[in-house]
Amino acid sequence: MNDAEAMRLAIELAELGAGDVSPNPLVGAVIVRDGRIVGRGYHRRYGGPHAEIFALQEAGDAASGATMFVTLEPCCHVGKTPACTDAIIEAGVGRVVVALRDPFPDVDGRGIATLREAGVSVEEGLLQEEAARQNEVFLHYTTTGRPFVLLKLAASLDGRIATRTGDSKWISGEGSRTEAHRLRRRHSSVLVGIRTVLADDPELTVRRVPGRSPTPIVIDPTGRIPPEARLLRAGRSPIIVASRIQEGRERGLVELGARVWRIPSDGGRIDLLALLDRLGEEKIDSVLVEGGGETAAAFLDAGLVDKVTVFVAPLLIGGRAATPAVGGEGAAKIADAVRLRDVSVERFGDDLCITGYPQGSTSVAR
């Protein structure tokens, strides 16, 4: 097994922690000795042992003199778990290959320096781009303090998300809807506007794949969410964002299990940057924006979208009264339109899934 193959396996292992470790990073580790894998590990849950520890436990005495491949720089500080650098040094690992340096202030090169000072050979940068893409949420959250925002749209070929009567079930096919649930599982929160709640009464849970459901967020400036809404059912704790909600109405929502946040408003609209700052303070590292068209436009107009995923179904809805995927005023000129870079295309049944990053986005993707 060569170095690139070992690191690619470590990246695959890291992916197994998706949806369970936030706001921590996805990390995988592989230990190789004499060309043979002797240890594997990945970060499984927030607050639990790190990938390096699991790999060292599996390797046992075989870790001495071996090479460890790890997708993110090993930590050198004591937090919820002991320092991984201490465990690596104690096990006698002779060489460590790191894909990506950890920007977390308590690490940020110190882990690599600690290993080198102990006589461990350290190399960094192998498959760095792949590792950075995998951890784009962690890198964004760590460097900005705000959650990573993915805008997810599902539209017809002519860009509609509902007919003139409001019918929208289902534009996307089965495969696309399953993938949408995978996206929910990967994100800490899922956000919709009050119009979507009133029109569709969504649950915003993960159902088509195993895993936990994200924290639901509703942008609801005046407190219009009905008490019978699915989001307010027992066991759910939606965050209701309101700027002018009456005290009595707020108390009623709290009694139903909601958390009501008073976010500043700008011209009657929620200040989305202030909302993201508050979410970051609450250790919510990612937001999946699911709808509807006006909410999508608000995030795009504010320049707060880090990534876009659009499921395009091969059907034509037509009609001036049909609901567009992105509302708002729209671009006056093509030059003003939001253009995506680093675009990738997948197929789910007959649907196309197009993913990219808005030009000017601070995402690590290049």
Side-chain angles (χ1 to χ4, degrees):
M1 169 170 283
N2 62 38
D3 287 3
E5 290 172 337
M7 186 62 79
R8 193 160 282 111
L9 175 58
I11 291 174
E12 291 174 4
L13 287 169
E15 194 65 24
L16 297 176
D20 298 317
V21 303
S22 63
N24 281 356
L26 298 168
V27 184
V30 171
I31 299 175
V32 176
R33 182 170 179 174
D34 299 325
R36 183 173 62 89
I37 296 173
V38 295
R40 302 176 180 84
Y42 68 94
H43 187 32
R44 300 179 183 180
R45 62 177 178 83
Y46 175 69
H50 292 183
E52 299 93 322
I53 304 304
F54 285 116
L56 289 170
Q57 289 174 346
E58 182 179 314
D61 293 341
S64 180
T67 296
M68 173 181 283
F69 297 85
V70 62
T71 59
L72 191 71
E73 177 182 9
C75 67
C76 54
H77 67 290
V78 177
K80 291 184 178 294
T81 59
C84 289
T85 51
D86 291 348
I88 293 169
I89 293 167
E90 184 177 346
V93 173
R95 175 175 171 245
V96 175
V97 181
V98 176
L100 186 67
R101 186 168 291 207
D102 186 345
F104 188 71
D106 288 342
V107 187
D108 199 13
R110 294 180 179 85
I112 291 172
T114 298
L115 293 172
R116 285 175 174 159
E117 288 168 4
V120 180
S121 173
V122 181
E123 301 169 22
E124 58 178 312
L126 180 63
L127 301 188
Q128 178 176 315
E129 184 175 332
E130 291 91 330
R133 184 67 64 91
Q134 182 179 60
N135 262 317
E136 60 189 5
V137 167
F138 170 75
L139 296 176
H140 177 88
Y141 178 64
T142 301
T143 55
T144 68
R146 293 194 299 270
F148 185 92
V149 176
L150 170 63
L151 172 61
K152 190 272 289 184
L153 303 171
S156 64
L157 201 59
D158 55 343
R160 305 299 206 274
I161 59 174
T163 68
R164 58 183 173 82
T165 64
D167 183 38
S168 61
K169 292 183 173 57
W170 293 99
I171 291 177
S172 300
E174 291 284 339
S176 293
R177 298 204 295 278
T178 298
E179 181 63 16
H181 280 249
R182 291 194 187 98
L183 289 176
R184 282 184 185 173
R185 184 184 185 277
R186 289 185 66 92
H187 288 77
S188 298
S189 64
V190 56
L191 181 149
V192 296
I194 184 59
R195 293 182 184 180
T196 295
V197 175
L198 296 175
D200 299 336
D201 193 20
E203 293 183 67
L204 302 182
T205 55
V206 171
R207 301 183 299 280
R208 289 174 168 262
V209 296
R212 63 165 182 80
S213 294
T215 298
I217 303 169
V218 179
I219 294 182
D220 183 16
T222 56
R224 292 193 291 156
I225 187 169
E228 64 273 14
R230 292 180 181 178
L231 289 174
L232 294 175
R233 289 180 178 176
R236 299 305 308 273
S237 298
I239 301 171
I240 310 300
V241 180
S243 59
R244 300 187 306 277
I245 190 171
Q246 296 178 353
E247 184 177 342
R249 178 68 174 134
E250 177 180 341
R251 188 163 53 247
L253 289 175
V254 171
E255 289 173 356
L256 288 169
R259 300 174 65 192
V260 179
W261 289 2
R262 292 185 179 274
I263 303 296
S265 63
D266 180 12
R269 302 180 70 175
I270 291 294
D271 184 333
L272 296 179
L273 183 58
L275 171 59
L276 293 180
D277 285 339
R278 174 76 182 271
L279 290 169
E281 293 169 2
E282 295 273 335
K283 297 189 182 302
I284 293 178
D285 65 356
S286 55
V287 179
L288 175 63
V289 177
E290 287 205 0
E294 295 303 317
T295 300
F299 272 90
L300 288 168
D301 290 346
L304 296 175
V305 175
D306 299 297
K307 188 176 183 178
V308 178
T309 292
V310 184
F311 295 94
V312 182
L315 72 156
L316 300 168
I317 292 176
R320 290 186 297 274
T323 307
V326 179
E329 291 291 328
K333 297 181 291 185
I334 294 298
D336 299 330
V338 177
R339 189 172 296 276
L340 304 183
R341 58 176 170 82
D342 300 296
V343 174
S344 61
V345 180
E346 295 180 85
R347 186 166 178 170
F348 295 97
D350 290 332
D351 298 347
L352 292 181
C353 177
I354 303 169
T355 298
Y357 302 82
Q359 294 284 5
S361 165
T362 57
S363 168
V364 298
R366 291 290 181 267

